[in-house]
Amino acid sequence: MAGAYKTPGVYIVEKNAFPNSVVEVATAVPAFVGYTRIADNKGTSLHRKPWRITSLTEFINYFGGAPDDKFTIVPKKDGDTPGDFKIGSDEYFLQRENDKPDTFRYYLYHSMQLFFQNGGGACYIVSVGTFSATGAEKPALQDGIDLLRKEQEPTMVVVPDAMSLSEGDCIALQQYSLMHCGSQMKNRFAILDVHDGYRERTDPAGDPVVAFRGDLGTNFLNFSAAYYPWLNTSIVQTTDTGFGNFVDLKAVKDLLLQAAGPNAPADFQQILAQVGDPDRDRTLKTYLSDDELHKILFSVSPVYANILLAIKRKLNLLPPAAAMAGVYTMVDNARGVWKAPANVSLASVISPAVNITHDEQEDLNVTTAGKSINAIRTFIGEGTLVWGARTLDGNSLDWRYINVRRTMIMIEESLRLATKAYVFEPNVSGTWVTIKGMADNFLTSVWKRGGLAGASAEDAFNVSVGLGATMTPEDILEGILRVTILVALSRPAEFIEITFQQQMQKS
């Protein structure tokens, strides 16, 4: 530099003492795709725009509250499955409005509640539309997944409203999610639900697990995990139900009168007379608002309370993917992405929709097709636990476990972003040494925190770069700098065997 000096004096030269460091990327930022009540940020539309939030309060502010789930009460006929509730010896079903199938509902709002209850944090919401009578549509949800291609931060993809689609459309959308994660982005993980996963595997309508495995295909399975069964939650409270959950209040009034019989008290009949009557005289002393009528009926009519309890149970049946996204977040924050997200209890969950035994789980966890499905089971004294840690690629020794796949994604993304600073730098030994030192420091940090297996750092990883080691002279002439990294990832102790044997008496 002396040749650049023109005037006598003192010149200060600062030199960097330390190499660039690798910043560990976030591992638990799910992106949820679905339908919302609104999509607005102070007058600016958020429709089809990925939006980052950190709490349920923010979700409600930007995307509104719960959907309007309305039901018609239908008497059970001979030969039908058990009804949703009973009045005396008679059974009744709660049927969706417009004769829609039972799965016709929007799951995103209640799934977000379940996500935050189970440790969820920062996430992205893609609203593909508002609530309507047509229900969820595959093209809109698929477009919502496409919108995530421009976002760098999300690391998981969850589509709760896929469960509202027909089985064929749901599988097609899940296949698209796998392609998005494993082919297009390669830096995120799909959490899948089993369509109709609230049904038993022995259900006369068919085994939902067999249908899921048979239709999903074999592409990019190591970038996803699936969970069975659905969950009976406590997300929806009794106070969240009311007159708004009925298509025809007059039919409800008639049913309550029928249940009360001809000797019903006069004041009870007077209350019922106002139910469903929009033209009732507000000037009368006996006038009650809909909210007051609902509270009185809930207090004095066991039949009305039982109907609302049945509605609450139906609304609380939710697919588990959103809860698992919350569990991934909680485990990542507490232990690290290298800890398997299993043997963890689920919050706001009463029970799995299907009780799975030890023997029944064998086919879920290990199958000749390799499509492992993680069971959610209930244990006495422990509650509802996640009892599986496998990706859908269960036959692969490389990518069998969720934490192995997600840890590798984290390491790859962290080093990829850090080495972008050296694109177009001279392809010489100085650059190679800098990159090797940067990778060594980062992987040592991961190893010290338990993310890599080995008694020493040398056993846990190895970084190679240089002419003759990873590159040929032709590579350098073509502008290619190759770095080879070997890592020993920690795997969960899925099966613990304890051997007992009798020994001779010694005294």
Side-chain angles (χ1 to χ4, degrees):
M1 292 296 293
Y5 300 146
K6 301 292 185 178
T7 304
V10 178
Y11 297 86
I12 303 296
V13 178
E14 292 184 350
K15 298 183 67 175
N16 292 331
F18 308 105
N20 285 354
S21 61
V22 179
V23 178
E24 186 175 314
V25 297
T27 59
V29 185
F32 294 89
V33 181
Y35 290 80
T36 59
R37 179 170 290 280
I38 61 173
D40 180 80
N41 178 23
K42 298 180 180 179
T44 301
S45 175
L46 297 179
H47 175 61
R48 292 173 48 83
K49 180 179 180 180
W51 192 253
R52 192 179 191 273
I53 64 168
T54 57
S55 68
L56 184 63
T57 301
E58 287 187 28
F59 179 90
I60 294 173
N61 287 341
Y62 295 125
F63 300 102
D68 299 320
D69 291 292
K70 293 181 178 290
F71 300 91
T72 299
I73 299 175
V74 179
K76 176 185 178 240
K77 299 177 182 178
D78 293 337
D80 286 345
T81 56
D84 294 314
F85 65 94
K86 293 178 68 174
I87 298 179
S89 60
D90 298 326
E91 294 188 47
Y92 296 84
F93 289 103
L94 291 168
Q95 188 178 76
R96 292 275 169 183
E97 65 176 321
N98 302 327
D99 297 325
K100 297 293 185 182
D102 196 50
T103 53
F104 179 85
R105 62 178 288 193
Y106 295 105
Y107 289 95
L108 180 58
Y109 174 75
H110 293 129
S111 293
M112 292 307 301
Q113 290 180 298
L114 196 57
F115 168 69
F116 286 112
Q117 286 287 332
N118 281 279
C123 61
Y124 280 76
I125 307 297
V126 183
S127 175
V128 298
T130 54
F131 305 144
S132 67
T134 58
E137 297 178 347
K138 181 176 78 72
L141 293 171
Q142 187 169 299
D143 289 345
I145 295 174
D146 281 336
L147 293 171
L148 294 171
R149 296 178 67 175
K150 296 182 180 180
E151 300 296 328
Q152 183 65 42
E153 193 177 9
T155 59
M156 293 178 271
V157 176
V158 187
V159 191
D161 284 339
M163 297 300 101
S164 296
L165 304 173
S166 65
E167 186 175 350
D169 284 348
C170 175
I171 287 292
L173 184 68
Q174 289 175 332
Q175 290 172 331
Y176 196 80
S177 297
L178 295 182
M179 185 176 69
H180 170 81
C181 294
S183 176
Q184 296 172 353
M185 302 303 296
K186 297 183 179 181
N187 63 353
R188 52 194 58 165
F189 194 81
I191 307 177
L192 306 183
D193 296 304
V194 176
H195 193 269
D196 288 349
Y198 55 87
R199 292 196 282 110
E200 298 268 1
R201 298 196 63 185
T202 56
D203 193 290
D207 185 340
V209 172
V210 169
F212 175 81
R213 283 172 167 166
D215 296 339
L216 190 63
T218 60
N219 296 331
F220 315 115
L221 296 180
N222 62 85
F223 283 87
S224 67
Y227 292 85
Y228 172 85
W230 288 21
L231 306 172
N232 294 314
T233 72
S234 58
I235 291 297
V236 179
Q237 300 296 311
T238 305
T239 52
D240 298 326
T241 60
F243 284 177
N245 293 117
F246 299 105
V247 175
D248 185 3
L249 276 176
K250 184 179 182 303
V252 177
K253 175 171 64 176
D254 294 341
L255 188 63
L256 295 180
L257 275 173
Q258 176 186 333
N263 299 322
D267 55 348
F268 182 69
Q269 295 187 38
Q270 189 178 52
I271 291 170
L272 282 180
Q274 298 189 54
V275 175
D277 180 10
D279 300 323
R280 60 187 183 272
D281 193 345
R282 295 172 179 262
T283 63
L284 296 177
K285 291 183 178 180
T286 57
Y287 171 81
L288 295 170
S289 66
D290 283 349
D291 188 50
E292 292 170 328
L293 287 171
H294 159 68
K295 290 179 180 178
I296 293 173
L297 284 177
F298 188 80
S299 300
V300 303
S301 174
V303 172
Y304 181 71
N306 284 339
I307 295 173
L308 292 186
L309 183 62
I311 291 175
K312 185 181 78 168
R313 283 197 301 267
K314 191 171 281 287
L315 294 179
N316 271 320
L317 181 62
L318 296 173
M324 291 312 307
V327 168
Y328 285 21
T329 303
M330 178 185 66
V331 172
D332 286 7
N333 292 335
R335 298 284 300 275
V337 67
W338 41 84
K339 164 67 173 71
N343 201 0
V344 178
S345 62
L346 294 175
S348 297
V349 173
I350 299 171
S351 67
V354 177
N355 191 16
I356 299 174
T357 65
H358 177 81
D359 292 336
E360 290 170 339
Q361 189 183 354
E362 289 184 358
D363 178 65
L364 290 175
N365 200 52
V366 180
T367 176
T368 54
K371 293 177 185 175
S372 300
I373 295 179
N374 300 307
I376 298 176
R377 296 175 55 187
T378 184
F379 296 90
I380 296 175
E382 296 181 85
T384 302
L385 302 182
V386 182
W387 208 244
R390 294 193 173 202
T391 68
L392 279 166
D393 198 5
N395 284 347
S396 169
L397 291 178
D398 283 311
W399 309 116
R400 174 177 295 174
Y401 295 110
I402 295 170
N403 60 303
V404 171
R405 174 75 272 179
R406 296 183 65 236
T407 300
M408 186 61 83
I409 289 175
M410 181 273 290
I411 292 174
E412 290 171 351
E413 277 298 288
S414 299
L415 288 172
R416 183 182 70 83
L417 294 175
T419 51
K420 280 180 66 177
Y422 297 94
V423 175
F424 302 115
E425 287 293 312
N427 198 355
V428 295
S429 59
T431 303
W432 306 338
V433 170
T434 301
I435 291 177
K436 183 179 187 306
M438 183 176 65
D440 280 334
N441 291 338
F442 171 66
L443 292 173
T444 300
S445 172
V446 174
W447 168 71
K448 286 181 177 179
R449 288 179 288 153
L452 300 176
S456 64
E458 291 74 17
D459 295 336
F461 64 88
N462 177 265
V463 182
S464 300
V465 57
L467 183 61
T470 61
M471 293 175 287
T472 64
E474 288 76 14
D475 290 331
I476 295 177
L477 290 176
E478 293 176 359
I480 299 173
L481 194 163
R482 299 187 191 277
V483 183
T484 300
I485 299 178
L486 306 178
V487 289
L489 297 175
S490 61
R491 284 166 166 75
E494 188 178 13
F495 310 104
I496 299 178
E497 178 182 294
I498 304 176
T499 302
F500 290 90
Q501 181 177 339
Q502 295 189 52
Q503 65 176 10
M504 293 290 290
Q505 182 175 333
K506 296 182 179 179
S507 62

